[in-house]
Amino acid sequence: MAKKRRFHPMVADDLSSATNYYDEISVDLGNRLRDLSQRPESFGCVHGIMRVATVNRFPYVLLFENRDEFVAILGVFHAASDQSGWFERSI
C-alpha cells in the first residue's frame, strides 16, 4: 500500500514554474513532468534522511524524505540550480 504524501508549501510553486516552461513548448511535455509517481525507497539518501529522485527525461529532481508514516515531498528543483537552499526545507 502506498504511503500518504505531505507537501512542503513551496512545492506547488516549484512544480508550477517547471511545468509552465514545458507547457510553452508542448502541453504533453508539461503533463509528463507532472506525473511524479515513483517508489520512495528506491532512491538513496543524499543529505541525512533526504532523498533525491531524478525526473525521467527532464533536468529536474524531486527532494523528499521517506518517513515511517508518510513521504514528505520537500521540493522540485532544476538539476543545475544552486543546491545550497535545497536542504533547508522541512515539514
Side-chain angles (χ1 to χ4, degrees):
M1 180 160 96
K3 291 183 182 180
K4 291 186 179 189
R5 288 176 243 145
R6 293 192 185 165
F7 295 87
H8 186 278
M10 294 183 71
V11 168
D13 291 338
D14 294 344
L15 195 53
S16 177
S17 295
T19 56
N20 286 341
Y21 171 78
Y22 286 103
D23 281 341
E24 289 179 17
I25 298 169
S26 163
V27 174
D28 183 50
L29 282 175
N31 288 338
R32 285 196 311 206
L33 181 58
R34 285 181 191 89
D35 189 20
L36 297 172
S37 57
Q38 301 192 20
R39 294 177 311 175
E41 66 279 354
S42 65
F43 299 95
C45 293
V46 293
H47 185 79
I49 63 169
M50 291 183 184
R51 297 172 184 256
V52 173
T54 57
V55 181
N56 289 338
R57 305 177 81 186
F58 294 96
Y60 285 87
V61 296
L62 178 67
L63 180 69
F64 66 96
E65 293 177 352
N66 186 23
R67 299 184 180 178
D68 291 337
E69 315 80 42
F70 59 90
V71 175
I73 310 297
L74 303 174
V76 179
F77 302 102
H78 191 281
S81 67
D82 181 10
Q83 297 178 11
S84 63
W86 290 14
F87 306 111
E88 296 174 3
R89 293 189 182 179
S90 64
I91 293 181

